[in-house]
Amino acid sequence: MTKQTTKNLAGVLLLPTGLQEMEQLLTDLLTPQEIERILVRWQNAKLSAEGFPREEIQKETGSSLTTISRAKGVVDHGTGVIKTLLARREQ
């Protein structure tokens, strides 16, 4: 995936004007399994950012320890947007 492709997708995801339109867009674009996978990835990142141990996250999400470690790496060494979004969500 190129940077331009990611930018194009990000632009599309910014178009919905509210939660209902976003839900409709995601439902139209993604299968239920894809939505579930994204949700689990978000939960892995969120719980990692909150400091939960990998084994506890595994019990909660059913993800492999490798997947959870990757999520932790993204939280700790990624762009920082996950921490930003988590902080914004708490407000």
Side-chain angles (χ1 to χ4, degrees):
M1 185 178 315
T2 67
K3 186 173 181 121
Q4 187 60 39
T5 303
T6 303
K7 188 176 269 190
N8 288 340
L9 177 58
V12 169
L13 293 175
L14 287 172
L15 292 174
T17 58
L19 183 61
Q20 184 176 2
E21 278 189 2
M22 178 57 83
E23 288 175 354
Q24 291 169 340
L25 176 63
L26 293 175
T27 300
D28 285 352
L29 287 179
L30 303 170
T31 66
Q33 295 83 7
E34 290 168 330
I35 292 170
E36 180 66 26
R37 287 178 60 194
I38 291 169
L39 178 60
V40 169
R41 290 181 83 157
W42 174 255
Q43 289 172 323
N44 287 334
K46 178 181 177 291
L47 294 172
S48 292
E50 292 173 353
F52 285 90
R54 292 182 314 152
E55 292 77 12
E56 198 168 326
I57 297 170
Q58 184 179 40
K59 287 178 189 173
E60 178 73 24
T61 67
S63 298
S64 71
L65 293 177
T66 301
T67 298
I68 295 164
S69 293
R70 182 184 182 289
K72 174 111 174 89
V74 169
V75 168
D76 292 343
H77 307 292
T79 63
V81 72
I82 291 174
K83 289 180 181 178
T84 299
L85 294 176
L86 286 170
R88 188 178 304 155
R89 193 161 190 221
E90 291 177 4
Q91 296 176 355

